[in-house]
Amino acid sequence: MALPTLYSLEECSDFSKTVEPFLPQLYELPAKLADVFARRQSLADLYVDTNPLISGFAISVFLGAVFLVAAEVNRNYSQVDRFWSLLPTFYIAHFDLWARFAGVPSQRIDAALLFSTIWSIRLTYNYWRKGGYEIGSEDYRWEIIRKQIPKIVFHVFNWTFISFIQSILLFMLAAPVYTILLSTQFEPNVTSADLTYVAMELGLILIEWFADQQQWNFHGAKKEYQTTAKVPRGFQQVDLDRGFNTSGLWAYSRHPNFAAEQTIWFLLYQWSCFASKTLYSWLAVGPMFLIMLFQGSTWLTELITSGKYPEYREYQRRVGMFVPTSTAPYKAPGPKIIRTSELAKKKQK
């Protein structure tokens, strides 16, 4: 039996009932895959007979090994980055496909797959236009980290966090759909709550789109200004000279796109809690780790940025990192007014 026998919605998020009984399947999976290669069992039968959470986790571990080898062979540590926008949707599609093969109602999983697919399309496009899929491209922060720590320490960092932990994290972001899948035993049809969650997810994706587009437009204008010495239409010289964007959504949050990204996956977790009528569950580990990851990576990004642009520290002081701290947009500090009395004092000195 690939799914647990449950008697209430609340049990759908119970780790001891929905995960622990299937852990032996994880240990047995290599031997069963060997049977598939030896043609003693069909891959389709193995897929359906294996709990979808277990098989999804196993795939994430396997991909972690692939990322590790690719990173060490190419000396390029953005292997996971290239798949970041694809894997959560891949895992949700895995839950959806398993439900269809097993004859489990999949309409509610379809709803989750809908928003996730749109999320993937938007983020993949944004990563592509920034050159993320170009041969040899790598996140500039990995190079900075490499210079700050011993070589062997960085390799251990790659063997653990960069390759494996990040790969598993991308699965854990999608794992709340497992609870939604289990809840279809009691509520098989799409509910009004499901549609509300999908609408909120799409709203957050729209915020990400606006934020990234505003950033793209600003840096495109800055590059044109630096090349031609002419201020592009719709921009002001003082803003381009500042070097970083403080307009649009960026006038209220230093990272509105990151704020929306974290909320998207925390909201999916909340959706699973609502589906199982619980306030919290073990599945919080995914979005919580993502939030901690964003805290660290954003701190490093801002450390680099504040070293490049003098005004950035003032921007940090007045604008929240993720959540707006004021309803008033950021305005650059104006030039200091020197009074006549101050000029007289300077002359006397």
Side-chain angles (χ1 to χ4, degrees), residues 141-209:
R141 291 170 295 188
W142 294 135
E143 178 64 25
I144 293 173
I145 294 174
R146 279 202 296 268
K147 292 179 179 179
Q148 299 299 319
I149 60 178
K151 187 175 180 180
I152 185 62
V153 175
F154 184 82
H155 282 300
V156 172
F157 185 57
N158 177 42
W159 301 337
T160 54
F161 173 77
I162 298 177
S163 296
F164 279 101
I165 294 178
Q166 285 196 121
S167 179
I168 294 171
L169 168 63
L170 292 173
F171 168 70
M172 291 305 300
L173 294 180
V177 175
Y178 176 59
T179 296
I180 297 175
L181 186 156
L182 295 176
S183 70
T184 60
Q185 299 177 55
F186 305 95
E187 294 182 353
N189 298 320
V190 174
T191 66
S192 57
D194 295 329
L195 296 178
T196 300
Y197 276 107
V198 171
M200 289 190 290
E201 296 283 23
L202 293 177
L204 290 166
I205 294 170
L206 188 62
I207 290 173
E208 284 189 314
W209 184 86

